[in-house]
Structures are given as C-alpha cells and as structure tokens.
Amino acid sequence: EIVLTQSPGTLSLSPGERATLSCRASQSVSTNYLAWYQQKPGQAPRLLIYGASSRASGIPDRFSGSGSETDFTLTISRLEPEDFAVYYCQQSDRSLLTFGGGTKVEIK
Amino acid sequence: EVQLVESGGGLVQPGGSLRLSCTASGFIFGGYWMHWVRQGPGKGLVWVSRINADGRTTAYADSVKGRFIISRDNAKNSLHLQMNSLRAEDTAVYYCARWGLGSGIYGLDYWGLGTQVTVSS
C-alpha cells in the first residue's frame, strides 16, 4: 500500500499570502493518479487537481499542482478568504485509493 | 446536474449490520466506477471500497475486507454498501463518490453529502 504523508499538518497564513502544501509518497506514484481535494467544515470534499497538475472544472487558476514520482505540491498563489480549509492528496494504485492525512490552512 | 445522494445511515450496535445506498442522477451511471470513502469524527478521509462500471470487479480497504460488500444496480442508478459485523471504529460519515475516468478525469469528481453511521451500544 502506498502511504501519502502531507506536510505541514497546519499552515497559518494571512489572506493574500502564498500557500505551499506538500504530499510525499512512500513509493513512486503515476502522475496520472495523483489528485488534490479541498474540504470545508460540514461539507463534502471537492476535487481541485487531478493528474497532478490539471485543474478540475470551475477551480480558480490560483490553485496549481506540480510534482512527480514521490513528491507533489499544491500551491495556492494568493489566499482568498474562502481558501481556508483542509486539503488532502490522494493516489490511485491498481484502483486502490489512499489519502494523505491532510493539511489544514488556517487564518493567521 | 450530477447528483449523488446517500441514505441508510444511522445508529447500530456493535456486531450489527447496515446497508447504505447512493442514488445517482444527472449522468450515465453505468459508465463510471464508484467509490465509498469515510471520515471518522475529526479525522481525515479514508478510502473504503470501489466497484467498476459493470459491477463485476470490486476492491476493499483491508480494514473492511470480509465485512463490507459493495454492489450496484445500473438499471436503478444506485450504489450500495452492505456493512456487517460493525465495530465502533466504523463510526464515520460515509460518502459515495464518482471516479471521473468516464469523463477523462483521474479523480473523485463528484461526491454526495454523506450519511452518518454510528456504531455504539
């Protein structure tokens, strides 16, 4: 089973700042199968990025994904008030999914 | 508009059973793989199970293997999760989600709002 480790656990930033979230895999992940989700309290997760770097429909271009093999990054270029949430990475290996533990982006 | 609506959650005693359902609309249900994902109280997302488009192949997380059964009825646009031998650690919100490959998306592109399952005596 591929384990995903997200860091930091919590990121305290102010609106307008840049957020950089890390997702490291215990073994190589196909870039096709690395996704990022955003979850706000009391809501279902929302797909942000798939294929490591493709934005899902309706996702603003301040969100970007990058990386390959075992190191992946989600970047939010300028935080808007609605971006404060928990973010999860997810990989698919032989159709078995695993999620990272999440990074909470909170208002400083 | 794509919609996924879960139902069937509730309070059940340890060792009991529960059957969750997910009703899909707004897309060709039989063209997509489907997944169940759960989230314990204050915890992160945990993948539970998946089923391919025609229902012939399934997969499970080790934590539920042998206790949970995923199935689907494409004629009724419905997905199910039969949960047996429930344990306290199965307490979570259970989400059904669509794997977007049918639309060229390698990710869970639509999610339901979830249904709460509580296992307690």
Side-chain angles (χ1 to χ4, degrees):
Chain A
E1 175 185 317
I2 296 177
V3 176
L4 299 179
T5 302
Q6 291 187 242
S7 61
T10 302
L11 201 50
S12 299
L13 295 168
S14 300
E17 289 194 293
R18 181 185 188 90
T20 303
L21 287 66
S22 172
C23 176
R24 289 192 167 172
S26 59
Q27 53 188 285
S28 184
V29 173
S30 166
T31 53
N32 279 342
Y33 297 118
L34 194 288
W36 290 92
Y37 302 84
Q38 176 194 67
Q39 188 179 33
K40 297 179 182 178
Q43 295 185 17
R46 176 174 72 147
L47 178 67
L48 295 176
I49 300 288
Y50 64 95
S53 60
S54 297
R55 273 187 301 277
S57 176
I59 302 303
D61 61 7
R62 64 180 180 272
F63 290 91
S64 63
S66 62
S68 63
E69 298 191 358
T70 60
D71 288 300
F72 297 89
T73 300
L74 175 69
T75 302
I76 311 171
S77 59
R78 288 179 56 86
L79 282 164
E80 296 288 340
E82 61 268 27
D83 299 337
F84 291 91
V86 180
Y87 294 84
Y88 295 94
C89 58
Q90 168 256 307
Q91 70 80 37
S92 174
D93 174 40
R94 292 167 295 145
S95 300
L96 309 180
L97 307 188
T98 53
F99 289 90
T103 290
K104 181 179 182 179
V105 179
E106 66 175 21
I107 299 176
K108 186 175 181 180
Chain B
E1 179 194 4
V2 173
Q3 282 196 319
L4 298 170
V5 180
E6 301 94 338
S7 60
L11 174 64
V12 61
Q13 292 188 339
S17 298
L18 215 51
R19 186 180 192 232
L20 305 184
S21 296
C22 172
T23 301
S25 60
F27 67 103
I28 301 173
F29 181 69
Y32 290 83
W33 293 35
M34 298 294 296
H35 293 251
W36 288 99
V37 176
R38 69 185 182 185
Q39 187 169 35
K43 300 291 181 62
L45 302 173
V46 176
W47 176 76
V48 174
S49 181
R50 67 95 177 143
I51 188 166
N52 75 329
D54 65 11
R56 293 185 181 185
T57 67
T58 60
Y60 301 90
D62 286 345
S63 59
V64 306
K65 201 174 294 182
R67 300 187 299 125
F68 290 11
I69 301 172
I70 190 172
S71 63
R72 66 190 296 162
D73 184 338
N74 286 347
K76 296 182 178 179
N77 291 346
S78 62
L79 173 72
H80 304 285
L81 186 68
Q82 177 67 42
M83 304 187 296
N84 301 320
S85 303
L86 283 161
R87 306 166 180 167
E89 54 265 36
D90 296 319
T91 294
V93 174
Y94 285 73
Y95 296 100
C96 70
R98 186 182 88 166
W99 184 252
L101 186 56
S103 301
I105 296 170
Y106 291 88
L108 297 167
D109 61 349
Y110 285 93
W111 297 64
L113 295 180
T115 187
Q116 174 71 49
V117 171
T118 302
V119 184
S120 174
S121 55

